[in-house]
Amino acid sequence: MADWLAALDRRAELRAKAGLTRTLRPRSAGDAVVDLAGNDYLGLSTHPDVTAAAVAAVRAYGLGATGSRLVRGSTDAHHALEDDLADWLGTDRALVFSSGYLANLGAVRALVQPRTLLVSDAHNHASLIDGCRISGAETVVTPHADVAAVRAALAAAPGRPAVVVTESVFSVDGDLAPLAELHAVTRGHGALLLVDDAHALGVTGPGGAGGVAAAGLAGEPDVIVTATLSKALGGAGGVVAGPAEFVRHLVETGRTFIFDTALPPAVAAGVRAAVGLARAGDDLRAELAERAGLAVRRLRAAGLTVSTPDAAVVSITAPGPETATTWAADCRDRGVAVGCFRPPSTPDSRSRLRLTLSAGVPRADFERALEVIVECAP
């Protein structure tokens, strides 16, 4: 009867030998580690305006939403946030989900109809990959950021409905997708473009409106935008934004929306305050850009292989998964938290450390963290 548990132990042993063990590490509220692993790009998660809005909403609504959005979970806080997000993103409407993961699952599935072809970038986030799989639609995975490959995939399926699925700023290496070129190809073939703006929202584009806005595509009727509210906005939840007809379709048919308990009203209120700060945060975005440039110069000067960041994600190549794990652990022992990406979380089987920069980290701490990363390098 316990054979299945023994089998799980054996699989855990194999992961350990491959350097793929994953461990939960709780942090305290007073954690003094320099955080280059979280996604609080603008430092808004602890901004007094954000926390005050959340506290006021807790007092008004209580801790949770108490139900799904279609039952009792929709509050004034949710609808106000959706209005602000739609205005910021330049779309007809926006719909808030309880997580960015569920937003992506719901968006991909809602775009699929009989015979739909999905064309997905090889470096897409797991939520987009799972959305394609769950949809049941035929999916063609194209080489990373390869517009010609996307064009060829669409040309090979004439007359079929199609959706091109991509991130704007990719979560692993922090590079920007060629969105304008992709849109020209999709429009030329009568296809739709779904863009996950998770790592761009608040960081790039006019007023921080994201990669889609930066590419001049805001409000285009054949573009759907998704994003998480847990990165530059410092909160939680996800959003799907686009034409009003599509948002209505999600409300009436989207299983990850209909059957999920709503985002807590306090989080919605806090995120709405963060949206206002992010839209006015050009100085924070300028600081992020300056830090990204500084990180690349210092790390490359030390002989490390570093990506060229288009936003606030900096990727450093590691020799292998075990080395990456040790490198990250050594940094943490010296008070610096960095991301550690290993297969199968990396689309190219290459291990790396990932730095997610934050304007909320004091400049002196950030520069010291770069020194620690270099000193701990294998």
Side-chain angles (χ1 to χ4, degrees), residues 33-34 329-336 368 371-373 375-376:
V33 168
V34 179
D330 290 346
C331 289
R332 187 173 183 84
D333 289 343
R334 294 187 55 182
V336 177
R368 180 179 68 82
E371 294 175 2
V372 168
I373 292 165
E375 292 167 1
C376 292

Side-chain angles (χ1 to χ4, degrees), residues 90-92 111 183 186-187 190-194 212 216-225 241-247:
T91 59
D92 288 348
L111 289 170
H183 181 250
T186 57
R187 177 164 286 184
L192 302 176
L193 180 63
L194 171 63
V212 171
L217 303 178
E220 291 292 340
D222 50 359
V223 177
I224 302 297
V225 183
E245 296 87 348
F246 180 65
V247 172

Side-chain angles (χ1 to χ4, degrees), residues 74-338:
S74 282
T75 67
D76 294 341
H78 292 89
H79 287 261
L81 172 59
E82 288 167 342
D83 287 345
D84 284 0
L85 286 169
D87 182 67
W88 191 22
L89 295 169
T91 59
D92 288 348
R93 287 186 62 189
L95 188 67
V96 167
F97 288 67
S98 66
S99 75
Y101 206 105
L102 292 181
N104 275 343
L105 294 184
V108 173
R109 187 175 183 276
L111 289 170
V112 168
Q113 52 184 303
R115 300 181 64 247
T116 293
L117 175 70
L118 298 176
V119 182
S120 178
D121 189 284
H123 284 204
N124 275 343
H125 187 265
S127 57
L128 294 173
I129 294 170
D130 288 351
C132 292
R133 290 172 176 170
I134 290 171
S135 75
E138 179 186 355
T139 302
V140 173
V141 178
T142 53
H144 178 50
D146 190 332
V147 177
V150 172
R151 182 184 295 109
L154 294 174
R160 291 178 60 180
V163 182
V164 174
V165 181
T166 185
E167 295 181 60
S168 54
V169 172
F170 287 90
S171 57
V172 175
D173 280 333
D175 56 318
L176 182 64
L179 294 179
E181 294 88 342
L182 286 173
H183 181 250
V185 169
T186 57
R187 177 164 286 184
H189 286 82
L192 302 176
L193 180 63
L194 171 63
V195 182
D196 180 354
D197 235 352
H199 287 275
L201 186 63
V203 179
T204 65
V212 171
L217 303 178
E220 291 292 340
D222 50 359
V223 177
I224 302 297
V225 183
T226 67
T228 178
L229 310 176
S230 62
K231 301 191 187 318
L233 297 177
V239 62
V240 179
E245 296 87 348
F246 180 65
V247 172
R248 179 186 62 201
H249 179 67
L250 279 172
V251 170
E252 295 179 355
T253 70
R255 294 174 68 84
T256 60
F257 177 81
I258 295 171
F259 298 106
D260 186 48
T261 297
L263 188 73
V267 177
V271 169
R272 186 186 180 209
V275 168
L277 294 166
R279 296 183 76 166
D282 286 346
D283 56 334
L284 298 176
R285 283 181 282 279
E287 176 66 18
L288 279 180
E290 186 176 330
R291 291 190 187 193
L294 175 62
V296 169
R297 291 192 299 273
R298 290 199 178 177
L299 296 172
R300 286 180 178 168
L304 300 175
T305 301
V306 183
S307 65
T308 299
D310 286 313
V313 176
V314 178
S315 173
I316 314 170
T317 298
E322 292 184 356
T323 306
T325 303
T326 301
W327 191 358
D330 290 346
C331 289
R332 187 173 183 84
D333 289 343
R334 294 187 55 182
V336 177
V338 296

